[in-house]
Amino acid sequence: MKEKIYEFINLEYLEIMADGDAEMKTVMLDMLLTELPEELNKMKTEFSIQEWETLGSTSHKMKSTLSFVGNSEMTAANKEIESICKSRENTAQIAPMIQTMEEIAPKVLEEIKMEIAKIS
């Protein structure tokens, strides 16, 4: 069994998708560095203007991004956001979930940068 190197990311899925290709892995990690903050900002904006359908779509798109990150807490919060947006019920519960994602994101991004440095 492999030891757990990181606290906030699990790159098993990314490893499978990159299939041992270090360049592919770097490209995917770089994409996460850009996409994660952009998508979170988008979600915050959509929440603030109560664009539930758009927020639900952004959250849905975020699922694939988060599968590469492998952070279960962010994945669970995102899944709940998408679910709430579909039902349009208890939308106030979205705020703390976005906050959770925002609090974890910098730690995730830091570990992704460490992994990129390790590959390079």
Side-chain angles (χ1 to χ4, degrees):
M1 188 167 141
K2 267 172 93 173
E3 65 175 284
K4 192 172 173 221
I5 305 167
Y6 298 111
E7 188 180 344
F8 296 98
I9 61 175
N10 177 339
L11 300 176
E12 284 177 28
Y13 182 66
L14 185 130
E15 296 282 357
I16 292 166
M17 299 310 285
D19 196 29
D21 184 338
E23 190 177 330
M24 170 66 102
K25 192 173 165 183
T26 304
V27 166
M28 293 166 88
L29 288 167
D30 279 335
M31 178 201 71
L32 291 174
L33 284 180
T34 307
E35 228 172 76
L36 193 60
E38 283 175 359
E39 295 302 307
L40 271 175
N41 282 335
K42 211 164 142 187
M43 289 173 84
K44 249 175 46 178
T45 301
E46 292 161 357
F47 174 74
S48 69
I49 58 173
Q50 300 186 358
E51 280 286 342
W52 307 129
E53 195 171 324
T54 313
L55 177 56
S57 295
T58 303
S59 175
H60 183 78
K61 180 181 180 242
M62 186 81 135
K63 280 199 294 199
S64 59
T65 303
L66 291 175
S67 64
F68 288 107
V69 171
N71 182 288
S72 57
E73 210 176 334
M74 286 184 83
T75 301
N78 186 61
K79 186 178 179 183
E80 191 61 25
I81 290 168
E82 185 181 13
S83 175
I84 290 170
C85 287
K86 277 183 184 161
S87 71
R88 303 271 200 298
E89 291 173 19
N90 304 315
T91 52
Q93 292 178 0
I94 294 173
M97 288 175 220
I98 290 177
Q99 187 176 354
T100 295
M101 292 175 76
E102 284 187 298
E103 286 168 5
I104 298 169
K107 299 165 188 166
V108 163
L109 295 171
E110 192 54 44
E111 289 187 356
I112 290 171
K113 288 175 190 168
M114 288 166 59
E115 183 65 19
I116 292 170
K118 215 168 76 175
I119 299 169
S120 304

